[in-house]
Amino acid sequence: MDLDAYVAEHGGEWRRLEVLVGRRKLNPAEVDEMVLLYQRAATHLSIVRSRTPDAVVLADLSRLVLAGRAAINRSERMSWRPVAAFFAVRLPAALYRTRWWWLTVMVVMVGAAWGLIEYVQRYPAVLEAWFGAHPDEALLVENFVGYYSEYRAATFFSAVWVNNAMLAAQCLASGVLILPVFYLLATNLISIAMMGAAMFDAGAGDVYLTYIAPHGFLELTAIFIGGGVGLRIGWSWIAPGPLMTRRESLVHWAREGMIVAVGLVFILLVSGVLEAYVTPSPLPAALRVGFGGLLWLLFLGYALLWGRRQSRPEAFSSR
């Protein structure tokens, strides 16, 4: 191989790579160009080393390849583009594509909870059987309100965040078997509804709603999303549709579930902050409930309106 001719042929690419490596900030097109030139330079280095091991050319080219690798790693570590794309496109699109599953779970669960509360109000013996005896009304209300301020806010936040994230994760992970999702949602439903029934029976229904609503809008929606998306994953292998095999359908919707799972961690983080700092705060009840309701409406707009826009094919083709 004629080394001088080889250097003359590819020297322009090497000089361009050196220019890009030396810049502190690169736009997306320049980053792509740098990666391409780095890959070519690495190939050139391998060829020169195996055919014409010239010490000077090898040293310069090795230095350039190492500098290119370091620059690429640096740009990848400092880039927020993947994070921004996840929250701006991938997560809302996944929430929108699974909307009918988690919206259905939401409607059914909320309706069942209110139905159970109404049923227990008509048949107080159910309440006594659940608690072992008719609960002391004053103590019940005191314990319910005190639950939100019993521990330090930071400690309480960590506990509820982890607990809710685990419940959502279990719903998602067990969705492939379908039946465990119904069990997890039912046990959570019964616990919340029986406490609500007891509070309404004690004449403190307004207190119950005031302390549940600020964080409950967002927190329960996240749990319903976990259950709904989990059921969608399970249904994917039962009815894969005409375009995919059972395996392909399961893999596809499991990937969607992973996107939602990551998003739920942050959604439940926000609801955990609300539960630890807003729900037990001395702010007026209307302000606490209104703040929680506003965040919930913003989330629904993000998942359904913005998600609809990002789920269109042109949104993905332009990323």
Side-chain angles (χ1 to χ4, degrees), residues 82-296:
V83 177
F86 176 83
F87 286 104
V89 179
R90 300 183 67 190
L91 177 59
L95 290 171
Y96 181 77
R97 285 191 291 269
T98 56
R99 65 194 183 282
W100 295 121
W101 290 85
W102 57 264
L103 285 173
T104 300
V105 169
M106 180 189 299
V107 172
V108 171
M109 290 291 291
V110 172
W114 280 112
L116 181 56
I117 290 174
E118 289 291 334
Y119 178 81
V120 173
Q121 292 296 292
R122 294 181 181 180
Y123 301 97
V126 177
L127 195 63
E128 296 179 5
W130 177 262
F131 285 96
H134 196 281
D136 181 272
E137 295 180 355
L139 184 60
L140 176 72
V141 175
E142 180 182 350
N143 289 340
F144 179 78
V145 173
Y147 165 77
Y148 295 97
S149 55
E150 183 178 359
Y151 301 101
R152 291 177 54 201
T155 303
F156 184 62
F157 157 73
S158 300
V160 296
W161 183 28
V162 171
N163 178 72
N164 292 329
M166 286 295 297
L167 177 58
Q170 288 171 345
C171 288
L172 276 164
S174 63
V176 69
L177 300 176
I178 296 184
L179 291 179
V181 177
F182 290 107
Y183 171 77
L184 291 168
L185 291 175
T187 53
N188 194 55
L189 160 72
I190 293 172
S191 176
I192 293 174
M194 292 304 294
M195 176 56 70
M199 291 290 288
F200 274 97
D201 185 68
D206 56 336
V207 177
Y208 175 76
L209 295 177
T210 298
Y211 277 81
I212 284 290
H215 63 276
F217 285 126
L218 201 56
E219 177 185 294
L220 292 175
T221 299
I223 301 302
F224 299 150
I225 290 173
V229 176
L231 291 175
R232 182 63 187 90
I233 294 172
W235 190 251
S236 66
W237 64 266
I238 296 175
L243 301 179
M244 290 186 285
T245 65
R246 295 183 190 276
R247 180 181 179 278
E248 290 171 341
S249 179
L250 179 60
V251 169
H252 170 76
W253 287 106
R255 287 174 178 169
E256 293 281 280
M258 291 301 296
I259 294 173
V260 173
V262 175
L264 289 182
V265 171
F266 294 94
I267 297 168
L268 289 169
L269 183 147
V270 175
S271 71
V273 170
L274 291 175
E275 188 168 1
Y277 294 94
V278 176
T279 296
S281 72
L283 293 172
L287 188 59
R288 286 180 283 155
V289 174
F291 184 63
L294 176 61
L295 288 180
W296 181 64

